Amino acid sequence: MRKTDSFRRQHDEIGAVVTQMRNHLNADELAKDATAMFDLVVSLRGQLKVHLAMEDKTLYPRLLANDETKATAQKFMDEMGTLGGVLADYIAKWPRAESAQTDPHGFIADTTGLLNALVDRVERENSDLYELADRS
């Protein structure tokens, strides 16, 4: 069992929600009713909150305490601040299902950007950060 298995499992769960969200990115459907999409947004936000809290509490302190992993951990932490800001801006801009129904094309563009950034982050954590953590 790897040290990062629980984090990787959370990434899989986040990825499943991302896939479901992408399946709902249809302007005509969103204009009629975006409730299902916003249930997924709430789910994703909750999963990310738990995941980030676990990383901050257990993973990063261990990596920052090790000279061999400190620089990489700090780089990922710094980048997460940027992604966290993107997520906060997204939530502020799209607070309810009705906001997506009013501007489904804008919602789709912003959601696609957020999901792409999130998937990129998850892939880099799995391949770089978690591999490093498992070896340390």
Side-chain angles (χ1 to χ4, degrees):
M1 182 171 181
R2 297 176 294 194
K3 297 174 190 176
T4 59
D5 280 347
S6 62
F7 298 115
R8 292 172 190 270
R9 186 185 77 255
Q10 289 172 345
H11 278 178
D12 291 343
E13 293 166 359
I14 289 166
V17 173
V18 167
T19 298
Q20 290 175 33
M21 289 177 73
R22 285 190 169 153
N23 290 337
H24 282 83
L25 291 177
N26 177 291
D28 293 334
E29 290 178 21
L30 288 169
K32 291 176 190 171
D33 183 9
T35 305
M37 172 57 97
F38 270 79
D39 289 344
L40 292 169
V41 170
V42 169
S43 176
L44 180 65
R45 184 175 57 199
Q47 287 180 335
L48 287 172
K49 184 177 179 179
V50 169
H51 178 72
L52 295 173
M54 285 182 60
E55 283 184 339
D56 288 347
K57 189 173 185 173
T58 61
L59 179 68
Y60 283 109
R62 182 170 56 89
L63 294 176
L64 291 170
N66 181 329
D67 287 339
E68 295 177 17
T69 59
K70 185 176 185 174
T72 300
Q74 189 62 56
K75 176 183 166 215
F76 272 86
M77 286 180 66
D78 293 345
E79 289 175 6
M80 192 57 226
T82 303
L83 185 56
V86 169
L87 179 60
D89 291 346
Y90 175 86
I91 297 300
K93 185 173 181 180
W94 307 105
R96 299 176 313 283
E98 294 80 15
S99 55
Q101 286 174 228
T102 303
D103 182 9
H105 294 286
F107 176 78
I108 289 170
D110 289 352
T111 301
T112 300
L114 174 68
L115 297 180
N116 288 345
L118 183 59
V119 166
D120 177 66
R121 170 66 182 216
V122 164
E123 288 174 354
R124 288 186 309 108
E125 280 187 354
N126 283 342
S127 65
D128 299 338
L129 186 66
Y130 292 171
E131 288 299 319
L132 181 65
D134 289 337
R135 288 191 310 266
S136 67

